Amino acid sequence: QVQLVESGGGLVQAGGSLSLSCTFSGSTIGDYAMAWLRQAPGKEREFVAVKRPFGGDTYYADSVKGRFTISRENAKYTVNLQMNSLKPEDTAVYYCAARRETLFGASYDYTSPTSYLYSGQGAQVAVSP
């Protein structure tokens, strides 16, 4: 059973930086696309970033491109999200998420939160004006 545990986050002023970390357990992380999703109060969960396995590509939501960086350290079974130049609209609960992939497997919409079978309990990020 895959388990994801987020850590980090907190409160920061606009323009500041925060980082999130996710610890993966229960399977082989190298087989999984690892993503970050977020959900702001009163809004639906949305895609933030994904780093695909097997040397696959990295993708970002337009709203965070150039400010956020996703990285994965398979040897440590962790995935990180570095968030710079934060804006009040980045305030949300951030979720680490995972989807198992196979080489030459079927394509899927990696920007859809429902594509990810596993997610963590979330970490709060609050950005003040």
Side-chain angles (χ1 to χ4, degrees):
Q1 180 73 11
V2 171
Q3 290 189 316
L4 304 170
V5 179
E6 301 94 341
S7 61
L11 173 65
V12 69
Q13 286 188 328
S17 298
L18 286 173
S19 63
L20 297 172
S21 185
C22 171
T23 301
F24 177 106
S25 64
S27 189
T28 303
I29 191 174
D31 293 340
Y32 287 76
M34 298 302 300
W36 287 94
L37 313 173
R38 68 185 181 186
Q39 188 165 16
K43 295 188 176 181
E44 293 188 352
R45 194 169 295 190
E46 65 176 5
F47 168 80
V48 175
V50 65
K51 196 158 184 68
R52 299 183 66 188
F54 315 127
D57 293 333
T58 302
Y59 301 97
Y60 296 92
D62 288 343
S63 58
V64 307
K65 203 171 295 182
R67 300 187 298 120
F68 290 13
T69 302
I70 185 172
S71 61
R72 59 190 294 164
E73 299 180 74
N74 286 354
K76 296 182 178 180
Y77 275 61
T78 59
V79 180
N80 304 302
L81 185 68
Q82 178 65 40
M83 303 177 289
N84 299 327
S85 302
L86 282 160
K87 304 175 182 180
E89 51 263 44
D90 294 317
T91 295
V93 176
Y94 284 70
Y95 298 90
C96 179
R99 176 190 174 101
R100 190 173 187 274
E101 290 194 21
T102 57
L103 283 173
F104 312 116
S107 61
Y108 66 97
D109 182 0
Y110 54 82
T111 67
S112 173
T114 59
S115 293
Y116 299 93
L117 180 60
Y118 304 102
S119 64
Q121 82 288 353
Q124 178 70 54
V125 170
V127 184
S128 62

